[in-house]
Amino acid sequence: MNPHLDQLHPYPFEQLRQLFSGVTPNAALSPISLGIGEPKHPTPAFIEKALMHAMAGLAVYPNTHGGEPLRVAIAGWLERRYGIPAVDPATMVLPVNGSREALFAFAQCIVDGSKSGALVMSPNPFYQIYEGAAYLSGATPYYVNSEPGRNFAPDFGSVPDDIWARVQLLYVCSPGNPTGAVLTLEDWRQLFELSDRHGFVIAADECYSEIYFGATPPLGALEAAHQLGRSEGNRPYANLVVFSSLSKRSNVPGMRSGFVAGDPQLLKKFLLYRTYCGGAMSPPIQAASIAAWNDEHHVQENRALYREKFQLITPLLKQVMDVELPDAGFYLWADVRRTGLSDTEFARRLYAEYNVTVLPGSYLAREAHGLNPGRNRIRMALVASVDEGLEAANRIVEFCKGL
């Protein structure tokens, strides 16, 4: 067996299952889960229709590179969304079966685990796939804590040069999970300069990019690179790739449809890797994805639903805990110390007494540099309907006031 498997931590939802073991929730109240970031808004009918009309594609083997029409649709969306120069769909775009599998597989392609002291860096708290990808590639994770004073963006400036020299891959999540933090242009300038100096690759996870609350969309990695003069030349977007997905943008998590885009040299190697691991997208999924990437109306409607929920729910919860509207994404990252409970105690008692599930923040982070930045925080995924979200918020307020 691969010995690195023994380094993997239990997934947060397995930890939550163990936390709730032996607890019987209040049967007088219907269950409401804010624990899992699974979109619950309806899938747009036109996407379902495109999928059904392409069922003949089940009779053929898909190409790992994906069909040209899908790559063209993705390239066009990137150009429109981020205002960047023409993206070559042949060399700079690779469809994948959801960003999760691609984020994991990318480390297996990029990291040279035979090099002593190899590091894979990620924010802390983080999406646990980054950590697992690091271990299975033979590297060691290095965590950069989020900073409340920086609106929960990681403080990359705190990392010593001797650590950067060992980093082979940096995972960045912007907008962040679970904090919602969006990196600024100056943040990107710093990371690109560090990448140029030390030679590491940047993997930018942007699956929450289309859920935001202000008038200005979150800055993307390719957009930042273009603004900083890194989109032209023999190797555009050198050492930078972005990962995105339709799951949150279009409410189709079950389609498992996403893409990787950026540095053509890296994508050439990643495509070679994927021809061996069989990561080809089904033709009907490709057809439905083309329809989704080519339409923005449903994305605007989806965003409006999230805005309504956050505008109604955030002020309610502020009565009893320290929580603010995030930059973007569909999570609230709340400090529950005012309640006198730890994050795990809060989650367990809320589930038992009010049948509402939230995720302890400490499950999403690791002890690093003397602290676990998720401790005493909870993550709430506002993914259900407005009415259900308000019901959950009112139960949480009642629970906190009764402590």
Side-chain angles (χ1 to χ4, degrees), residues 77-140:
W77 179 79
L78 284 167
E79 293 162 14
R80 294 189 302 273
R81 168 63 173 82
Y82 296 112
I84 58 177
V87 173
D88 184 353
T91 64
M92 298 175 67
V93 175
L94 179 59
V96 295
N97 294 314
S99 57
R100 171 178 172 150
E101 65 94 356
L103 285 161
F104 178 84
F106 191 66
Q108 317 314 305
C109 177
I110 294 297
V111 173
D112 181 357
S114 68
K115 289 187 176 180
S116 177
L119 297 177
V120 170
M121 185 179 289
S122 80
N124 190 32
F126 57 91
Y127 182 37
Q128 197 158 318
I129 296 301
Y130 311 153
E131 179 186 71
Y135 282 130
L136 268 295
S137 69
T140 299

Side-chain angles (χ1 to χ4, degrees), residues 73-244:
I74 293 169
W77 179 79
L78 284 167
E79 293 162 14
R80 294 189 302 273
R81 168 63 173 82
Y82 296 112
I84 58 177
V87 173
D88 184 353
T91 64
M92 298 175 67
V93 175
L94 179 59
V96 295
N97 294 314
S99 57
R100 171 178 172 150
E101 65 94 356
L103 285 161
F104 178 84
F106 191 66
Q108 317 314 305
C109 177
I110 294 297
V111 173
D112 181 357
S114 68
K115 289 187 176 180
S116 177
L119 297 177
V120 170
M121 185 179 289
S122 80
N124 190 32
F126 57 91
Y127 182 37
Q128 197 158 318
I129 296 301
Y130 311 153
E131 179 186 71
Y135 282 130
L136 268 295
S137 69
T140 299
Y142 184 92
Y143 309 106
V144 183
N145 291 341
S146 67
E147 295 286 336
R150 291 168 48 85
N151 201 23
F152 300 106
D155 184 9
F156 293 110
S158 67
V159 179
D161 273 352
D162 62 323
I163 294 296
W164 284 117
R166 295 164 53 198
V167 173
Q168 296 189 22
L169 176 63
L170 166 64
Y171 284 109
V172 177
C173 188
S174 178
N177 171 13
T179 68
V182 174
L183 297 189
T184 67
L185 186 64
E186 288 308 306
D187 291 329
W188 282 113
R189 188 192 307 275
Q190 178 189 38
L191 291 179
F192 293 146
E193 289 174 352
L194 287 164
S195 174
D196 289 343
R197 190 184 316 156
H198 298 288
F200 60 81
V201 172
I202 301 174
D205 179 357
E206 299 183 345
C207 67
Y208 297 94
S209 67
E210 303 313 289
I211 302 171
Y212 54 90
F213 309 107
T216 304
L219 178 70
L222 297 181
E223 181 181 17
H226 173 57
Q227 292 181 16
L228 295 171
R230 303 176 65 89
S231 59
E232 307 290 345
N234 294 329
R235 190 180 177 184
Y237 306 109
N239 277 336
L240 172 66
V241 293
V242 300
F243 298 73
S244 192

